Amino acid sequence: MKKILKIIGGIIGFLMLAIGIIYFFFPQKLVDFTYSQNAISADLKSKNILVNGNKTHYYTNNNTSAKDTLVLVHGLGDDKNSFVQSAKFLTNDYYLILPDLLASGENNKDKFLDLSIKGQIEFLHKFLTKLGVKKFYLAGNSMGGHISAAYAIAYPDDVKKLVLINAAGLKLDDHMVYTGFDNILQNEIDLDKVLSRVFYKVPDMPRPLKKMYISQINDSRDFLNNSIIPQIKKGKYFDLKDSINKIKAPTLILWGKHDKVVKFNVAERYNRDIPISEIEVIKNASHSPQLEVPNVVATSINKFIQKKMKVSTPTTREQHLAKVQLHRWYQLYEREINPERISNQMEILTDNIYMKTAAGEMNGKENYPERLTVYKSWKNAHHIDNIKILSAENKIKLEADIHYQNIRPDGEKKSYTIHYNTELTKSDTLPQFSHIEIIPTGETNETFIDAYPENRTKSLMYYWLASMESLDGNVEPFKELLADNFTLNFSTSSHIKSIQELESWLNGTPMQLKKSSHYPENFSVKTILENEYQVTVEFDWRGITKDNKQVKAKTKHIWYVVDNPNKRFAKILKADVSQIEPFRIME
């Protein structure tokens, strides 16, 4: 018996010696072992697949029988292990996929790859397509959140719900996220400074591990600073600020409260501009909460995915029609108020509209004309900062933040910030406001700038787009939007100079589509003469053909617009259209 105990004691002593050697001289082996044990506890297996000829490594639980697929995307300088601890709490309910991004983790560090955000989303799309994944839930942290948001913009029909965890992607107040590592880490104090930006409480680590991480960070510094980050800053989708309103997927913005890398105003802007979104703040976490409180992150993700949404993202056509009416609402106040223009305004209101302003409440539109008398001889301007639109049953919910400016008859000038809460009743044509609540949010000191040209031409633009997206060949709405002797120089056809020619065009190529969506960008309007304007705008267009192929293009429009303020809409006299990105089928 003693002999056996001696043998066992010898074995244990040898193991302890081996662990000690590994601990002090080969700490990476200990880290790799920890990673593998975490993956095993989450039922994850390490796999690889060729994407564009490059070996791509990823974790998966192979739970392909699960009802839902969840893709978890790591951040800059991280790898697929980032979400492994959270995956343990999700593995029974989802088919999990945790990829190494381009030039990350075990993947080849090739500086000649497209490492921009666009390059990463195209890589991710091809990777998931090769795995046979079409519709899925998507969550990402930091740069992974940036990539996830851009993916939801580029492939809106693929993402069922989106989770952005301390996500980069918005450039606000000149705050820069992708700064890289300025100096080589010299010691453990330098390492702790880096970790303090990522963790709420810097984890205690033994000296051998700290030395290993210092070495790894220093070794990756040049590639991050000189290859990945410059490509991100110069590439497409670097700043998503003007595009996140295109995200259709319901979105959870999950935020570690103590983040020193990405400011909280980024979370607020994501929440403000993504149509269906909500914020959840995690108190005891910083930039990467999935590393600090993995169970909390997993619970929040699962709860959000399982949550039944009472509202949905309206179609782009419904959004265009709602914006038509919002811009028409403001126009009345920005030029001389007369009976004909009041009549036009009355038609955008339901008979039983409820209105609440600082001046009091109003029920029913019959009292509305009397409320307008106070604005006689005023100069008013309404500059829209942002619009958020949701769909709920037969209603459209529209919120807007604006800067309102006025000059009163006695010359006094005032300016305010105002929030609008509104509801519109849906119809086959233009919806009508059934509820308008106007909430002052602050007083400002601004120079008066006439907003009528922009509001007037934008109502025209959005009605034009909504009519184009009807895909029914109906030319009637366009008759109100086109001046006599109009000319439409479309980039894909000869000049169109008559309603009959336009009707023929509408019943041609557009009828091959079952879905059409336009996203206006870079809008500007210039006054040429009184009531004559030049509009310049780009349309990012997406479509689905009747044989279910996704197609896209981007065009630039220059419109010459003539206006009679007493009519419902201004009119296009001439439109010149050129291609920025030609029509193509999306893979």
Side-chain angles (χ1 to χ4, degrees), residues 115-117 143 146 178 228-235 238:
L115 302 177
S116 68
I117 299 300
M143 182 188 75
H146 187 172
Y178 297 99
I228 296 180
I229 291 175
Q231 288 201 51
I232 291 173
K233 291 181 178 179
K234 294 176 183 177
F238 169 53

Side-chain angles (χ1 to χ4, degrees), residues 164-206:
L164 303 178
I165 305 169
N166 293 80
L170 308 182
K171 188 177 179 182
L172 303 176
D173 305 326
D174 295 323
H175 175 61
M176 185 64 68
V177 173
Y178 297 99
T179 55
F181 294 99
D182 292 333
N183 301 306
I184 292 175
L185 303 187
Q186 301 291 341
N187 49 45
E188 295 175 18
I189 295 174
D190 289 347
L191 176 65
D192 286 343
K193 287 179 181 178
V194 171
L195 294 178
S196 68
R197 290 174 56 80
V198 180
F199 291 94
Y200 172 53
K201 291 184 178 179
V202 176
D204 291 328
M205 283 189 290

Side-chain angles (χ1 to χ4, degrees), residues 473-485:
N474 182 16
V475 78
E476 288 301 315
F478 295 93
K479 293 179 179 179
E480 188 177 15
L481 307 180
L482 294 168
D484 295 337
N485 303 317

